[in-house]
Amino acid sequence: MFGSAVEERLSSEDRAALKRLTELKAQLISPPPMIIKTYQVGILKPGGHFDVKAEGKSDSYLRNFLNLLTSSQMGKHATGAVLFQDDQVNFKDTSGTLTGNTSYGITIHSTLTTGLQPNTFNNDNLGIVIGTGSTAVTEADYALDTQIADGEAGGEMVYLPMVDAVRTWNAGPRTWTVVCKRYFWNRSGGSITVAEIGWIVHFTNAAAQGTVDTLVLRDVLSSGVVIADDRVCQATYTFTTAAFPS
Amino acid sequence: MDFAAILEEEQRIYEHESRVFEEMRPLCKQLDIPLLNAKIGLKVLAPDREVLVDRNFFSHSFTLNQLNSMLTLCCFTYADDSGNFGVGYNSGKDKNGVIQSSGSEQLFTTWGVQEAVDKGFMASITTTSVGTIIGTDNTAEDITDYDLNAAIAHGSGGGQMLHAASVHSSGWNAGSSYYWVNYNREFQNDSGGSITVNEMALRRFTNTLASYVFVMSRDLISGGQAVADGETLAVDYELRHSY
């Protein structure tokens, strides 16, 4: 359904699930749109070669994102800000504060560079982010376990602007691929092991566009990636759609 | 195929697809694939509100607008293929047939108020510009559909039907683990003659860039549905998102 580049990064259990899903999809008159995502984290070598050290299927659209999807795709206002669970449509910011305004829907801040992909240096509260924690992902996660802060002090890395997403239409299989990447420069004086990645987006649940730092993706890497001093870490998310109908 | 056989086949397909979606949900959860679908309910009501016909089926045609809306949101990209619309381009075509795109703003989003009339998928009484609409054309569905081919106008004249306001409801289906949002809209035939409804669509008002209306789904009604003078067609579009 998604091509070999995706399927080779799946576990055997996930390949079996995908095989069955493909069979079921074929039984529908008109299958709904489907999107799967994978990650790669590694070291950017001199000359631009990307030495991949950890990769796999992304296990997370977090509850924050699923609620955004419900609200924005289905025209639903948020529910209240009391409980953060399956039957609620609200979101938690990266500090754990729950937001739910029943008068408005949940949306992403409108513009690309202020809502999704920062185009400035040193922005560690928007875009792809990295951390050192390895607590298993749960749908209710709202922050990285231990985010690496932007900077040049011990344990910090410099967050570079996000490279523009590359969106490709694959005419043969009729799928889209969107590749989003970010670089992080270790100028701390010592090595840092990256063990988790995520993506922070700016949500709003009000009449005006807001900038609520909201974690929508989080993944614990298949293995920690050691970034030596003065080396650059690259973290990439790749989104792939199933075939668009003809 | 006579009409009774059409209804029987429609019900068989609905029950089969219900089972398929039930099995798909945990697989999509395992693979972290968002699963959205739309279930449609059609009822024909007599003047005394007796249910004369009760039909159920899944939407078989999300438009390219909807597919690109999912692409844009779930892949954190923008609908910026300016000047082009079709499979292979990320853009939208509004209900007037004008191609819309944006490289800097969310194209398909309604921000702020969504559940009020004439916002999101909600229509006020008599409104035909947004919300659920119905029509008489039976041209096969195409992914690039951007509006109905022959929308029924509001009114009591020949070929017209009285359009009520949309009614919004929502909830969580714990047993099957999906959130649902239902848009109910009634269309009363006060025209003096029977009208056969063959198509229906869901129009969405969006406003992050400018105010546009996009058709997110256009569905044919198998065999059409006749609505006699004095009867009412009640349409339920239930959008579902599995968690």
Side-chain angles (χ1 to χ4, degrees):
Chain A
M1 193 193 306
F2 298 103
S4 57
V6 169
E7 293 176 21
E8 64 196 21
R9 293 183 190 155
L10 303 184
S11 66
S12 56
E13 292 84 5
D14 284 344
R15 278 201 209 104
L18 182 59
K19 181 169 181 284
R20 181 56 185 155
L21 186 65
T22 304
E23 291 165 357
L24 291 168
K25 188 168 164 278
Q27 297 180 34
L28 298 173
I29 292 176
S30 178
M34 292 195 184
I35 293 150
I36 197 167
K37 55 198 183 312
T38 57
Y39 69 84
Q40 290 180 306
V41 178
I43 299 164
L44 188 68
K45 292 280 182 75
H49 172 68
F50 178 29
D51 186 10
V52 178
K53 297 295 190 188
E55 60 183 345
K57 174 179 73 69
S58 169
D59 282 326
S60 69
Y61 282 117
L62 301 174
R63 181 174 294 148
N64 280 336
F65 181 83
L66 298 176
N67 286 344
L68 166 73
L69 200 60
T70 292
S71 181
S72 72
Q73 291 295 300
M74 292 163 47
K76 170 85 184 78
H77 283 173
T79 52
V82 176
L83 297 171
F84 189 54
Q85 59 187 34
D86 280 343
D87 61 353
Q88 300 294 302
V89 182
N90 46 27
F91 60 97
K92 269 191 188 177
D93 68 17
T94 52
S95 64
T97 300
L98 185 61
T99 297
N101 185 336
T102 59
S103 298
Y104 302 105
I106 302 170
T107 50
I108 293 177
H109 188 284
S110 218
T111 66
L112 177 71
T113 55
T114 54
L116 283 172
Q117 300 177 26
N119 61 351
T120 55
F121 284 85
N122 311 121
N123 191 334
D124 60 7
N125 66 357
L126 182 66
I128 296 175
V129 293
I130 53 174
T132 59
S134 59
T135 304
V137 175
T138 70
E139 193 176 273
D141 284 353
Y142 56 87
L144 291 192
D145 205 12
T146 311
Q147 183 171 338
I148 294 168
D150 172 73
E152 300 185 15
E156 297 177 346
M157 294 175 81
V158 177
Y159 280 56
L160 273 62
M162 273 192 71
V163 175
D164 287 346
V166 176
R167 189 178 68 235
T168 305
W169 170 246
N170 309 298
R174 302 176 63 81
T175 62
W176 284 99
T177 307
V178 181
V179 179
C180 303
K181 63 180 81 161
R182 193 172 193 179
Y183 303 111
F184 308 84
W185 191 3
N186 182 3
R187 291 173 58 82
S188 69
S191 66
I192 299 173
T193 300
V194 177
E196 59 178 330
I197 59 171
W199 197 319
I200 296 174
V201 164
H202 283 165
F203 274 21
T204 182
N205 176 216
Q209 300 196 62
T211 56
V212 180
D213 299 347
T214 312
L215 190 74
V216 290
L217 303 180
R218 177 175 177 257
D219 289 280
V220 172
L221 306 187
S222 52
S223 57
V225 177
V226 178
I227 308 297
D229 182 47
D230 204 29
R231 303 308 290 273
V232 174
C233 172
Q234 177 178 327
T236 300
Y237 273 109
T238 301
F239 303 85
T240 306
T241 71
F244 271 40
S246 53
Chain B
M1 195 185 281
D2 67 19
F3 194 65
I6 288 173
L7 295 188
E8 197 175 312
E9 176 65 1
E10 182 178 82
Q11 181 65 18
R12 184 196 69 76
I13 292 172
Y14 170 65
E15 289 170 2
H16 171 70
E17 292 193 326
S18 294
R19 288 190 294 270
V20 170
F21 278 121
E22 279 297 313
E23 191 178 345
M24 286 174 75
R25 281 193 192 93
L27 296 172
C28 284
K29 182 120 178 129
Q30 177 179 337
L31 294 167
D32 199 51
I33 295 173
L35 179 62
L36 265 73
N37 60 356
K39 181 254 181 187
I40 296 170
L42 285 185
K43 288 187 175 64
V44 175
L45 308 175
D48 65 358
R49 306 290 290 179
E50 178 192 353
V51 177
L52 303 174
V53 176
D54 188 354
R55 303 173 65 167
N56 295 282
F57 51 95
F58 286 100
S59 172
H60 293 139
S61 60
F62 284 123
T63 60
L64 188 57
N65 284 334
Q66 175 60 33
L67 296 177
N68 283 345
S69 177
M70 286 287 287
L71 169 68
T72 300
L73 187 66
C74 296
C75 301
F76 301 161
T77 184
Y78 274 68
D80 56 359
D81 281 327
S82 169
N84 292 295
F85 178 76
V87 177
Y89 297 105
N90 191 9
S91 59
K93 191 179 266 193
D94 67 22
K95 69 176 180 66
N96 300 317
V98 179
I99 297 172
Q100 305 293 348
S101 63
S102 173
S104 62
E105 306 257 346
Q106 296 276 326
L107 181 63
F108 296 106
T109 297
T110 311
W111 62 273
V113 173
Q114 296 192 72
E115 294 180 13
V117 291
D118 300 334
K119 299 284 190 286
F121 295 106
M122 294 288 288
S124 55
I125 189 169
T126 77
T127 294
T128 56
S129 60
V130 69
T132 307
I133 53 170
I134 54 175
T136 56
D137 187 75
N138 61 2
T139 303
E141 298 136 338
D142 186 273
I143 190 176
T144 58
D145 282 343
Y146 60 90
D147 204 4
L148 293 188
N149 291 327
I152 292 170
H154 166 79
S156 299
Q160 298 178 341
M161 293 176 81
L162 298 170
H163 289 49
S166 302
V167 177
H168 179 288
S169 58
S170 62
W172 170 249
N173 183 313
S176 294
S177 196
Y178 64 79
Y179 207 92
W180 59 269
V181 181
N182 188 69
Y183 295 92
N184 169 271
R185 194 171 195 193
E186 294 191 356
F187 305 86
Q188 184 183 359
N189 183 359
D190 192 38
S191 68
S194 180
I195 297 174
T196 297
V197 180
N198 285 302
E199 56 177 344
M200 68 183 90
L202 203 52
R203 282 181 177 161
R204 179 178 189 173
F205 169 86
T206 69
N207 64 351
T208 53
L209 180 63
S211 296
Y212 300 124
V213 175
F214 294 107
V215 163
M216 310 308 272
S217 175
R218 175 180 172 261
D219 292 275
L220 286 191
I221 302 170
S222 185
Q225 181 58 60
V227 184
D229 182 46
E231 293 176 349
T232 295
L233 181 69
V235 179
D236 282 282
Y237 258 107
E238 183 177 287
L239 307 178
R240 298 176 177 177
H241 175 206
S242 298
Y243 280 55

